Amino acid sequence: GVMMKNEPLYTIYSYAYKDEAIFKSSSYTDGAAYGDVVVEKAFNSKSDKNLGTTAALVLNLWMFVVNRLQIVLKSCEMGKSNVFDIDVALASWIGTDQIEGSDDGFLLYSIAEQAGAHFGKTNGEVPVNTKIIDLFNDVKTLSRSCSLSTSVYPKLRMTIDKIISQMNVPLIQNLLHYMNSQVDENYIELYALSLLPQVAACNPSVYSFLKEYLIDVDVHDTDTFPTVYSKLQSVFSCFGISCDDIGDISSISSLSTSCRNGQDSIAGYVPSSDVREFLYIDRDIVQIEIFMKMDAFETASDYFVHGHNVKEPFVYDEYLSLKEMSMDHPDIDQRPFDTFIMYNDGNRNFASDWIMEALSKSGPFQYASKEQRISFVVRAIQSIVVFTHGLRELYGAVGKCKGGIDSSVRWDRGAAILIGSNEGTERSGSPTGHGKMMFALGKEMCKHFSNCMVSGNSLNDQQLVDSLQKGLEFLESKDCDKALELIENGIRPELLVSLVQATLHFAMLNDLLSAESMNGSLGAGFAFSQSIVPFVNLSDETSANLIGSNMNLQFIDDPVKDGAPAVFSAFATALVGIGVDCEDIGNYNGNLGLGVCSENPADTGSGTKTTLPDGTKSTSTSLADGLYTTTTYVQNRAEIALDVKDIESLLKSDKATLAMGIYEDGFHSAIYNEIGEKIGDRSLADFSRSAPQIMAKEPTYNIFRYALEDDNGLYLGRDVGLYADTIVLGAFGNTNSRTLASEAIVALNLWMFVVHELHQTVDKCKGKLLTDDDGVHSMDEAVAYYIGDGQQTGDSKGHSLYALAEYMGELFEQDEADQTRVNRIIMKLFNQAKLEVSFASACINNPSTHVRLREIVNKIVSQMAVPLLQKLIYSLRKNDRDRVKLYAQSVVPLIAGCSDSTFSFLRDRLILEGNIFNAIDVDDIIEKLQSAYSCLGLTCVDVGTYEGVPACHDKPPQSSLAGYVPKSDISEFSKLDLDLHQIYIFLKFGAFNAAEDLYTMGKHSTLKKLDGGEEIITLRQLATQSARSIVPSFDMFERYFDQDFDYSNSMVKRTLDPNEPTMVSLKERTKLVVTTLQSMVVYMAALQKIYDAIEDCESTDSFRNANAIEEWDRAAGLLIGSMEGANEGGRQGGMMMYGLAKEQCKQFDVCTNSGDAKVNERLITLFYAGRSELTARNCPPLHKAAEKIEILLQIPLIQSTLSLMILNPSMNEDNFGELYAFSRSILPYVEEADRDASQIIAKNIDFRPTKGNLDAAMMALKDAIPKMGVDCDLVGRLDGKSACAKSTATSHTGSFVLSLSTCTVLSFVGVIVTFLM
């Protein structure tokens, strides 16, 4: 793997397999060891003794031949000839004792002969071997000229690619052979593994399909093979081959009787000529992106400069490159390109310069993150290179037409470049979103601007394809002027619409980011702005300057310094001048206030006080027949419930289209301007579609995003932030449950929007932004949405959340007097919240107002989950699977903030496609839901009972934690891990304020005070309390951190501050905060509780004596945490020291037989022993126990530091924050034991260490460990070596493993393989 790093094909294979668990090993964590893994498994196969040998040949040796050829190419690039490696490569293909045309050999030549026999081979050598040997001779001839001319390199490059293409032929032939005749499971999978990564770097959607049916299945379904063949044959070009290369396919008649090259249309556009070569330029972009993701930036640059997938027109042996496309071509009509040149001060190579600087991390990208550079390069190619060159081809076609020359070929080339091969043939393009060209951008953006067609295609794209087809007709009829007019007034503006939308989209995204963010979207925003600003500049220079200054890469200031609305406004001013209709842009996420037409209203319906409409006299609104009378006017908010009512009625009448119209556009809930004039209607769809902007920093919304998002940040194919809208739109299409959509609207859109109103009120109060009756108005709005218009007190026949709570409460026996328990509690809490903000300047003058308000809001949100839980349980008992899924999606995500394992259990059975639960599973599922009540802030009484539901029991006060049974109630202390878990969730999405609030004000751990009140325990309290000085080693920490008494709090606060200058990424900051809380704050707090217990034991105060055991148990609770559960050994996902020890024991081979860490086993034993001494008031032995516990706790910290230093060969920057925190958690101990080692570690571990830095720090730590009093045997072995320098690793002798992937002498490979056989 190391030998082939940065080589194109090897990098592509590593990329394809990097996330496959089977291909990860202790040495390679990025899929690089795929060959060795497969070969080893093949040799272990008992069903076929030849399988291992074949695997070694088609995986390891095949890639070795490619490697030798790449070395030859690299030599040529440096001006050197390399005949030796050419001979080595060919020798590796042929092998010794090989007879020409014989299949009785040992290496790949023989495999090719055997494969050819199935596809029409007669006598003599198969064509593929003849071609390969001829091409090797060509390579040798070219290589000898490398020192004479630089023009040889591109020719040699293409010739080597032709060899590699032909090397694919026998692999494909054998795959088809085994699929057709023998249906051999092992060989089908083997040959698929040897081939498919090349498709991943060419057509990702086809790769996913082929991988699913050829690799991921346990047993192949032969009925799918014809379709699989069809898909495979459609991407023969990905391998650089054609149908002719495969040969006579009559032998695979069960798969197909035909083989066709190319495609007839391009996303519905039907060209008049074969433009396949130009069509494949999008593959260059896909591959450049892969190389950058895999840190192969040199290879990415090589592909950009020299190309790979498209042959240069009229030049037989060179590629057309993206760099060539980005360059100035003054001999052709290049109107759009001239606009860019003029804007960029005459620089004719502006695009190429930018992209090369991003690839080399220079110029404006010197401080850019990897993600920013990747995003910029990919998006700049899409929006500048593809855009300008595609238009140049179209303008060039018109020029040819006017010169009387056939122009259709050039027009087809322009269409191919703008659309790309990955869109396929269908008119709507590829549904998987893997396109890379302007057509794909149109599809991507239409989702954000609500102008997609039902097919998912962009209306703008559809017009583009129609325009391209019409233009071809004009050219074929020699109507050149009409074709030119079509470009100017149709195609060009249609393309500009997508560029404007993209710039606005990333302005919105980037406006949510903090200063110095390393998020990749900043690179994309910069690229898109540079693609459109030259045109804006022609129309309005001021607008261009504003857009440019706000969208430039920012490394210190806020990313969009004037805010996204300023960018929208700038476009609104300039659009007419660039020939774009503002209506074509649309409104962002359907929000009427987020568009570029000047008449767009600015009211998003969130937290803004509404001026009374004309004719309205009263400022108050009576809700639920006087149940709640508002202080401010919110009647229009309450009337949103009438939209729900109408939608439900229409759905019952099978009028889904009309119902969706009300959902999309609104009807009853009016929006008024500042003088009381109606300017529009708010819609329920907007409640979800505006969420990514208005809720992005809020806690509850981010828990849902965390729970539902897939690896690409999507849910059901759309941005996870739009999850509610996505589910509702799907419900509209449900024909089994007609009113499902109206229920989804209430449970998802309306529910989260009420929660948003509450969180927003807290945030504004904290920021002292609520004056006069602003706070009261915000609470009135929330209540109006919750109750809705037309609601009667205690009546379940309404149409909003209050009515849902009434309906479900009645079923769950919660009727209490005039309304259900949950509504009584919620209305009481609403009134408490309103009271908090009703006093004059309450939020400005009283710094504790927002703290109390936040506590009330958290309780409201908890209670609002009750009817959703009830409806889910009810639907489970009724086996109503449509509603099970709906209400699972509405409430189960909250459990992801409690326990990943519990959430995963419920998600897999209730949310994932198929609802894979059986009737016998229902009780288990309900019990899992009940187990999460405590974390959700609920009790069994809150939810109530329903017939047939398992009895619910609240967690007893003295519950076991991972098998440790306390004598006192430590449940509240143990729940601090929930705060830590949710801080991680909030930071993952950049919600710094939510994370800081949770750190500072807490949520889940509440102690009863003597006066009957409650006190919330916070992580910040643990980090700053003066009582920590009772721990003997605390002075050591304080001394190490320059006498900073609150050292851990200082580290957390700096990292949480979005304005704190830092060059670390969001992932690094997240890990830095979470690791500091885990390894410093909780660690020291637990030690403090241990020494508090000892001091209480030694006290003469009987009250303190009685308190000693509780303090001791609290230490255990802090170290174990509630997320470990009750059972011995805990469960996956623990956030405290106990979970960290379990995580590390696997890497260091120090787990018990049950999977727990040996360290944990000893810790639990010591806690029990210490508690026994406390019970007997035998205090002296406790000091020794405390010392032993402290030493044991250092072990997972040492292990974590070592593993991050050793197992990070790719120098993943995302791990450096975690490494920094773990190293600082043990450095005070190292400093005490070995000052020199401490200084070496501190000097070499910062946020951007090199491998040399890590090696030096690792050796220093290994030397220090024995001096720290730590048991080296408990630290264990990492990567086969002892973690302690003075321990010696066990020597393993008696076995010798020969790996074909490391062979460098090829003349005897045939002998080796013979031996293996």
Side-chain angles (χ1 to χ4, degrees):
V2 176
M3 179 173 64
M4 301 182 191
K5 185 175 173 61
N6 287 322
E7 290 183 4
L9 210 52
Y10 180 75
T11 301
I12 285 168
Y13 275 67
S14 298
Y15 171 80
Y17 293 139
K18 68 182 176 66
D19 294 325
E20 300 293 331
I22 191 173
F23 293 125
K24 292 182 179 180
S25 70
S26 59
S27 301
Y28 300 99
T29 57
D30 57 1
Y34 71 92
D36 285 337
V37 172
V38 176
V39 171
E40 182 179 350
K41 287 184 174 295
F43 274 123
N44 290 332
S45 172
K46 297 178 181 179
S47 60
D48 190 331
K49 65 178 182 180
N50 294 323
L51 185 63
T53 304
T54 306
L57 294 175
V58 301
L59 291 170
N60 293 7
L61 186 58
W62 191 95
M63 189 59 76
F64 179 83
V65 174
V66 173
N67 164 249
R68 293 294 103 179
L69 291 171
Q70 291 299 325
I71 292 172
V72 172
L73 186 60
K74 200 70 179 173
S75 299
C76 188
E77 188 178 25
M78 295 185 291
K80 299 177 182 178
S81 173
N82 186 350
V83 175
F84 171 76
D85 279 302
I86 297 171
D87 290 340
V88 168
L90 186 56
S92 303
W93 180 265
I94 299 174
T96 59
D97 299 327
Q98 177 66 55
I99 300 172
E100 181 178 353
S102 171
D103 61 7
D104 188 21
F106 306 111
L107 298 188
L108 294 162
Y109 180 99
S110 178
I111 284 181
E113 292 294 326
Q114 295 166 16
H118 305 302
F119 290 85
K121 173 194 172 182
T122 54
N123 296 321
E125 190 174 62
V126 293
V128 67
N129 276 330
T130 302
K131 290 179 184 177
I132 287 173
I133 293 170
D134 288 345
L135 287 167
F136 264 103
N137 286 321
D138 293 342
V139 165
K140 186 175 289 188
T141 301
L142 288 168
S143 177
R144 285 173 174 149
S145 302
C146 288
S147 60
L148 304 176
S149 173
T150 56
S151 65
V152 172
Y153 176 77
K155 295 178 175 58
L156 179 63
R157 195 168 175 272
M158 178 173 278
T159 307
I160 286 174
D161 286 342
K162 290 178 181 177
I163 293 176
I164 296 170
S165 295
Q166 290 300 312
M167 287 169 59
N168 286 315
V169 171
L171 305 186
I172 294 173
Q173 289 173 329
N174 276 335
L175 174 60
L176 297 177
H177 167 66
Y178 285 112
M179 287 171 59
N180 177 73
S181 56
Q182 299 185 20
V183 193
D184 189 297
E185 299 288 338
N186 290 328
Y187 283 98
I188 291 173
E189 184 173 2
L190 171 60
Y191 281 104
L193 287 166
S194 73
L195 285 163
L196 294 192
Q198 295 179 61
V199 183
C202 171
N203 193 318
S205 59
V206 175
Y207 168 72
S208 297
F209 177 90
L210 294 174
K211 179 172 173 288
E212 178 182 355
Y213 286 97
L214 293 177
I215 295 177
D216 293 342
V217 294
D218 293 327
V219 179
H220 295 96
D221 182 357
T222 56
D223 290 339
T224 66
F225 281 177
T227 304
V228 171
Y229 167 77
S230 178
K231 285 283 188 183
L232 180 64
Q233 186 262 308
S234 73
V235 291
F236 274 179
S237 58
C238 293
F239 303 105
I241 65 169
S242 67
C243 293
D244 292 340
D245 291 314
I246 298 300
D248 181 5
I249 65 166
S250 61
S251 63
I252 57 168
S253 57
S254 70
L255 303 179
S256 177
T257 57
S258 64
C259 182
R260 297 178 60 228
N261 294 315
Q263 57 191 64
D264 298 328
S265 65
I266 313 165
Y269 173 79
V270 182
S272 62
S273 56
D274 185 353
V275 290
R276 278 175 291 164
E277 291 295 345
F278 267 83
L279 193 60
Y280 299 150
I281 194 66
D282 56 350
R283 296 175 179 177
D284 277 15
I285 307 175
V286 172
Q287 288 156 17
I288 287 170
E289 183 175 17
I290 288 173
F291 297 142
M292 295 180 76
K293 286 180 177 179
M294 298 296 287
D295 295 315
F297 285 93
E298 287 184 16
T299 309
S301 298
D302 185 65
Y303 270 48
F304 176 71
V305 173
H306 296 290
H308 182 69
N309 290 283
V310 176
K311 291 179 181 176
E312 182 76 58
F314 315 115
V315 181
Y316 172 72
D317 51 3
E318 291 185 21
Y319 292 118
L320 172 67
S321 72
L322 287 161
K323 181 178 181 181
E324 177 69 17
M325 289 171 56
S326 73
M327 303 289 278
D328 180 28
H329 295 279
D331 57 320
I332 63 173
D333 190 333
Q334 50 177 25
R335 271 169 256 188
F337 202 79
D338 287 338
T339 303
F340 282 89
I341 294 171
M342 181 169 61
Y343 180 76
N344 288 284
D345 300 324
N347 181 1
R348 312 189 79 85
N349 301 323
F350 64 95
S352 173
D353 289 349
W354 278 336
I355 292 168
M356 292 302 291
E357 285 173 336
L359 287 166
S360 61
K361 202 172 185 181
S362 59
F365 303 94
Q366 182 179 356
Y367 301 108
S369 68
K370 173 181 168 182
E371 290 75 18
Q372 289 169 343
R373 293 160 63 201
I374 293 172
S375 293
F376 176 82
V377 169
V378 172
R379 295 303 199 170
I381 293 172
Q382 179 184 46
S383 63
I384 300 177
V385 178
V386 169
F387 168 73
T388 55
H389 195 75
L391 280 177
R392 277 197 300 202
E393 291 290 339
L394 299 182
Y395 279 117
V398 172
K400 281 195 167 192
C401 177
K402 290 186 175 183
I405 305 170
D406 179 37
S407 56
S408 58
V409 173
R410 188 150 199 175
W411 185 271
D412 286 341
R413 289 199 323 225
I417 289 168
L418 292 171
I419 299 173
S421 68
N422 278 328
E423 295 297 347
T425 61
E426 296 298 321
R427 187 167 169 79
S428 59
S430 170
T432 56
H434 288 122
K436 293 293 183 184
M437 314 305 261
M438 287 298 296
F439 185 91
L441 181 63
K443 283 197 299 180
E444 179 184 357
M445 289 302 123
C446 80
K447 298 172 186 175
H448 301 295
F449 288 85
S450 303
N451 48 14
C452 293
M453 300 172 69
V454 176
S455 64
N457 195 17
S458 162
L459 177 62
N460 197 50
D461 275 350
Q462 205 61 75
Q463 292 169 344
L464 173 65
V465 171
D466 291 342
S467 296
L468 289 168
Q469 200 72 61
K470 191 67 177 175
L472 180 61
E473 293 173 10
F474 286 148
L475 293 176
E476 288 176 336
S477 62
K478 306 301 180 186
D479 203 339
C480 313
D481 289 335
K482 282 190 176 180
L484 179 60
E485 182 182 354
L486 187 63
I487 297 174
E488 293 289 342
N489 299 325
I491 296 172
R492 181 176 169 275
E494 286 155 4
L495 296 172
L496 289 175
V497 165
S498 296
L499 299 181
V500 172
Q501 290 175 330
T503 307
L504 292 171
H505 170 61
F506 283 97
M508 291 297 295
L509 292 183
N510 295 343
D511 197 15
L512 301 174
L513 301 175
S514 58
E516 301 187 16
S517 171
M518 295 287 106
N519 195 294
S521 68
L522 291 171
F526 179 42
F528 284 123
S529 68
Q530 293 305 312
S531 73
I532 194 64
V533 164
F535 298 94
V536 176
N537 193 61
L538 295 176
S539 169
D540 188 299
E541 188 173 344
T542 301
S543 294
N545 290 337
L546 188 145
I547 295 167
S549 63
N550 277 275
M551 300 302 291
N552 278 339
L553 275 177
Q554 299 286 350
F555 299 110
I556 298 176
D557 300 329
D558 288 332
V560 187
K561 61 180 182 178
D562 298 316
V567 179
F568 274 76
S569 179
F571 273 114
T573 303
L575 278 187
V576 174
I578 64 174
V580 172
D581 188 334
C582 68
E583 295 288 350
D584 292 336
I585 303 299
N587 296 307
Y588 190 71
N589 282 339
N591 192 320
L592 291 174
L594 292 172
V596 290
C597 292
S598 58
E599 66 271 17
N600 277 320
D603 188 330
T604 64
S606 177
T608 303
K609 192 159 52 180
T610 302
T611 302
L612 297 183
D614 289 346
T616 302
K617 295 180 180 180
S618 175
T619 60
S620 64
T621 302
S622 177
L623 299 170
D625 196 27
L627 174 66
Y628 184 99
T629 301
T630 69
T631 305
T632 60
Y633 178 79
V634 291
Q635 177 62 32
N636 56 338
R637 264 71 175 188
E639 286 168 349
I640 199 73
L642 301 181
D643 281 8
V644 178
K645 177 183 178 183
D646 285 358
I647 290 169
E648 181 180 359
S649 177
L650 288 167
L651 289 171
K652 287 179 178 178
S653 302
D654 287 331
K655 297 177 180 178
T657 302
L658 291 176
M660 186 177 288
I662 294 177
Y663 171 71
E664 298 266 3
D665 302 323
F667 189 79
H668 293 283
S669 184
I671 299 173
Y672 301 102
N673 65 13
E674 65 276 4
I675 60 172
E677 296 173 335
K678 181 178 176 180
I679 56 174
D681 294 309
R682 67 178 48 77
S683 75
L684 289 154
D686 283 347
F687 285 4
S688 171
R689 292 173 184 174
S690 63
Q693 287 72 52
I694 65 175
M695 304 183 196
K697 305 300 182 184
E698 295 174 1
T700 308
Y701 176 72
N702 278 306
I703 289 173
F704 272 74
R705 290 170 72 192
Y706 171 78
L708 294 175
E709 73 166 0
D710 63 19
D711 292 339
N712 299 311
L714 306 177
Y715 182 62
L716 300 178
R718 294 177 73 203
D719 181 352
V720 69
L722 302 172
Y723 75 90
D725 185 56
T726 301
I727 297 166
V728 169
L729 291 178
F732 270 112
N734 189 304
T735 56
N736 297 323
S737 304
R738 287 188 296 177
T739 61
L740 194 67
S742 59
E743 293 181 50
I745 290 167
V746 172
L748 294 162
N749 302 42
L750 196 51
W751 191 93
M752 186 58 78
F753 201 80
V754 172
V755 172
H756 157 67
E757 289 278 353
L758 296 171
H759 286 315
Q760 181 178 249
T761 305
V762 173
D763 287 343
K764 286 185 175 181
C765 184
K766 179 186 174 186
K768 300 182 178 181
L769 300 176
L770 295 180
T771 58
D772 300 324
D773 59 352
D774 287 345
V776 172
H777 178 69
S778 294
M779 294 311 304
D780 284 348
E781 279 190 342
V783 178
Y785 286 129
Y786 182 82
I787 296 177
D789 189 52
Q791 178 69 53
Q792 298 295 312
T793 300
D795 194 346
S796 62
K797 295 178 181 178
H799 302 282
S800 196
L801 292 158
Y802 180 94
L804 174 64
E806 284 298 308
Y807 178 74
M808 295 314 305
E810 291 168 7
L811 291 173
F812 278 72
E813 302 177 4
Q814 286 196 313
D815 254 339
E816 296 181 6
D818 57 347
Q819 53 187 336
T820 58
R821 170 188 169 86
V822 67
N823 273 334
R824 263 197 321 102
I825 293 173
I826 288 176
M827 296 313 301
K828 180 180 178 181
L829 290 168
F830 271 133
N831 281 302
Q832 288 178 3
K834 184 175 180 178
L835 183 63
E836 283 289 346
V837 294
S838 63
F839 300 105
S841 303
C843 294
I844 296 174
N845 297 332
N846 190 338
S848 63
T849 297
H850 79 273
V851 178
R852 293 194 300 272
L853 182 62
R854 179 177 175 273
E855 292 176 19
I856 296 169
V857 163
N858 284 338
K859 291 177 181 178
I860 294 174
V861 175
S862 292
Q863 290 296 318
M864 283 177 62
V866 169
L868 303 181
L869 284 164
Q870 291 169 333
K871 193 63 185 270
L872 174 57
I873 293 169
Y874 174 81
S875 300
L876 281 163
R877 295 308 309 170
K878 294 295 183 181
N879 198 26
D880 184 343
R881 291 180 177 260
D882 287 336
R883 285 175 175 80
V884 165
K885 183 161 188 176
L886 168 59
Y887 288 96
Q889 291 172 119
S890 74
V891 72
V892 169
L894 289 170
I895 297 173
C898 303
S899 165
D900 281 340
S901 59
T902 302
F903 169 70
S904 296
F905 176 92
L906 294 168
R907 177 201 60 202
D908 293 348
R909 289 157 179 79
L910 305 179
I911 294 179
L912 294 185
E913 292 298 320
N915 293 98
I916 49 176
F917 69 90
N918 298 314
I920 59 173
D921 298 326
V922 168
D923 284 352
D924 289 339
I925 291 170
I926 293 174
E927 286 173 358
K928 280 288 186 183
L929 288 169
Q930 292 169 344
S931 73
Y933 287 177
S934 174
C935 168
L936 296 177
L938 302 172
T939 66
C940 294
V941 172
D942 288 325
V943 179
T945 61
Y946 181 74
E947 183 180 354
V949 172
C952 179
H953 302 285
D954 292 324
K955 195 174 181 180
Q958 297 175 358
S959 294
S960 169
L961 290 173
Y964 177 77
V965 183
K967 278 195 171 182
S968 50
D969 181 6
I970 58 169
S971 58
E972 292 302 318
F973 262 83
S974 70
K975 287 196 290 188
L976 274 165
D977 60 352
L978 300 176
D979 284 5
L980 183 52
H981 178 51
Q982 292 187 10
I983 285 172
Y984 164 75
I985 292 173
F986 302 155
L987 289 176
K988 182 178 187 291
F989 293 102
F992 286 93
N993 288 339
E996 183 180 25
D997 286 350
L998 190 48
Y999 169 68
T1000 305
M1001 292 181 275
K1003 180 183 178 182
H1004 295 94
S1005 298
T1006 305
L1007 291 181
K1008 296 288 185 183
K1009 295 196 294 186
L1010 294 177
D1011 62 2
E1014 293 180 345
E1015 177 188 6
I1016 296 179
I1017 314 164
T1018 73
L1019 287 164
R1020 185 181 183 278
Q1021 288 174 353
L1022 301 188
T1024 57
Q1025 52 193 343
S1026 59
R1028 290 171 299 149
S1029 59
I1030 195 174
V1031 181
S1033 58
F1034 179 79
D1035 287 342
M1036 194 164 63
F1037 277 78
E1038 186 181 10
R1039 191 165 57 248
Y1040 181 83
F1041 289 101
D1042 298 325
Q1043 302 304 313
D1044 184 354
F1045 188 82
D1046 295 333
Y1047 59 91
S1048 55
N1049 177 62
S1050 299
M1051 190 179 296
V1052 171
K1053 293 290 283 184
R1054 279 197 307 271
T1055 313
L1056 284 176
D1057 185 356
N1059 299 313
E1060 180 76 12
T1062 176
M1063 291 303 296
V1064 299
S1065 67
L1066 177 60
K1067 286 184 179 179
E1068 287 178 278
R1069 293 173 80 158
T1070 300
K1071 290 185 177 181
L1072 180 59
V1073 169
V1074 172
T1075 304
T1076 301
L1077 292 173
Q1078 178 189 54
S1079 65
M1080 291 192 194
V1081 175
V1082 173
Y1083 174 91
M1084 189 58 70
L1087 291 178
Q1088 177 196 325
K1089 291 298 175 187
I1090 288 171
Y1091 283 97
D1092 282 343
I1094 296 173
E1095 189 172 83
D1096 285 349
C1097 179
E1098 294 172 339
S1099 172
T1100 57
D1101 185 331
S1102 59
F1103 178 82
R1104 290 190 63 183
N1105 296 156
N1107 189 57
I1109 290 177
E1110 184 173 10
E1111 293 292 343
W1112 188 264
D1113 281 343
R1114 284 178 173 180
L1118 284 169
L1119 292 172
I1120 299 171
S1122 67
M1123 294 173 71
E1124 292 290 348
N1127 294 334
E1128 185 174 344
R1131 60 190 177 197
Q1132 295 299 314
M1135 295 292 292
M1136 302 306 221
M1137 292 295 296
Y1138 188 97
L1140 180 66
K1142 281 196 299 179
E1143 179 184 341
Q1144 292 301 329
C1145 80
K1146 299 170 187 174
Q1147 296 192 65
F1148 285 82
D1149 196 23
V1150 283
C1151 296
T1152 64
N1153 292 335
S1154 65
D1156 197 1
K1158 293 178 180 178
V1159 164
N1160 286 340
E1161 200 172 61
R1162 296 197 183 190
L1163 274 174
I1164 298 299
T1165 300
L1166 283 167
F1167 270 109
Y1168 276 126
R1171 200 171 67 196
S1172 296
E1173 301 294 357
L1174 286 168
T1175 303
R1177 279 203 66 196
N1178 184 18
C1179 307
L1182 292 171
H1183 290 276
K1184 193 68 176 176
E1187 291 172 6
K1188 289 181 178 179
I1189 290 172
E1190 186 169 4
I1191 290 174
L1192 286 173
L1193 290 176
Q1194 293 171 42
I1195 289 173
L1197 303 180
I1198 291 170
Q1199 291 170 331
S1200 299
T1201 307
L1202 283 171
S1203 66
L1204 286 167
M1205 288 192 289
I1206 296 174
L1207 299 181
N1208 195 15
S1210 61
M1211 302 297 291
N1212 186 346
E1213 293 179 358
D1214 293 340
N1215 293 329
F1216 291 153
E1218 189 178 16
L1219 173 59
Y1220 182 89
F1222 276 127
S1223 67
R1224 267 54 189 177
S1225 72
I1226 59 167
L1227 275 173
Y1229 294 108
V1230 178
E1231 173 97 350
E1232 200 75 2
D1234 188 336
R1235 185 177 180 82
D1236 290 340
S1238 169
Q1239 291 176 346
I1240 292 171
I1241 296 167
K1243 177 183 176 182
N1244 283 281
I1245 295 182
D1246 56 18
F1247 290 100
R1248 290 296 179 269
T1250 65
K1251 188 175 186 306
N1253 293 142
L1254 295 183
D1255 289 342
M1258 178 186 65
M1259 293 307 300
L1261 180 55
K1262 283 189 169 188
D1263 286 337
I1265 291 171
K1267 304 173 188 177
M1268 296 163 62
V1270 175
D1271 186 343
C1272 288
D1273 290 336
L1274 282 179
V1275 177
R1277 305 169 64 81
L1278 184 63
D1279 203 16
K1281 300 175 183 177
S1282 172
C1284 295
K1286 293 190 176 180
S1287 297
T1288 56
T1290 305
S1291 174
H1292 295 278
T1293 60
S1295 64
F1296 173 72
V1297 179
L1298 178 63
S1299 171
L1300 284 172
S1301 64
T1302 58
C1303 290
T1304 56
V1305 180
L1306 274 297
S1307 59
F1308 58 89
V1309 173
V1311 177
I1312 294 171
V1313 177
T1314 304
F1315 170 76
L1316 291 173
M1317 294 175 68

